Amino acid sequence: MHEMSLMESVIEIVCDTARQNGATRVKSVRLDVGVLSNVEPDALMFCYEAVRHGTIADEATLEINRIAGEGWCLDCGKTVALEERFGACPDCGRHRVQMTAGDELKIRDMEVS
């Protein structure tokens, strides 16, 4: 389960950033997780519960925002929805689509005190 190492890194970044900015407690964390990122939100939540204990994010809430898959179709010349990695353009059916969204995992923001 790679979600455990991902969440360990998220907690480390959140706690380090909070401390660097003079905070002693993290109240909430919001993550953006793309639907094409191969990261399971439920697994992230489970891992979050395990790794936050004993840190300044011990009582922080976690919100996970799902980001839809999108790509730029080189043949149609427009942004299209993507349901899968390396998927075909839903309009023309060709596979010349460059993914532009949906594979991210990033910390959107956090609230500290």
Side-chain angles (χ1 to χ4, degrees):
M1 172 182 347
H2 68 284
E3 283 84 356
M4 183 64 79
S5 63
L6 291 172
M7 191 50 70
E8 287 172 338
S9 295
V10 166
I11 291 296
E12 182 180 347
I13 292 167
V14 164
C15 292
D16 288 349
T17 302
R19 280 189 210 96
Q20 289 170 3
N21 289 280
T24 58
R25 189 172 143 232
V26 178
K27 294 180 178 182
S28 66
V29 178
R30 286 195 310 167
L31 299 180
D32 287 344
V33 179
V35 297
L36 306 176
S37 66
N38 295 318
V39 175
E40 291 296 323
D42 290 341
L44 277 180
M45 285 294 237
F46 176 82
C47 295
Y48 180 72
E49 294 300 324
V51 301
R52 70 183 172 141
H53 296 291
T55 70
I56 64 171
D58 194 20
E59 296 178 18
T61 60
L62 175 64
E63 179 184 326
I64 297 176
N65 303 312
R66 296 295 276 166
I67 306 300
E70 287 185 347
W72 179 259
C73 178
L74 298 171
D75 293 315
C76 294
K78 64 180 181 180
T79 298
V80 295
L82 283 180
E83 299 295 323
E84 62 182 338
R85 283 181 168 272
F86 311 111
C89 171
D91 293 339
C92 71
R94 295 188 183 105
H95 287 270
R96 292 175 21 100
V97 181
Q98 295 177 339
M99 189 183 317
T100 57
D103 66 341
E104 56 268 74
L105 170 61
K106 66 180 180 181
I107 300 167
R108 162 70 60 187
D109 58 30
M110 61 187 199
E111 183 181 358
V112 298
S113 62

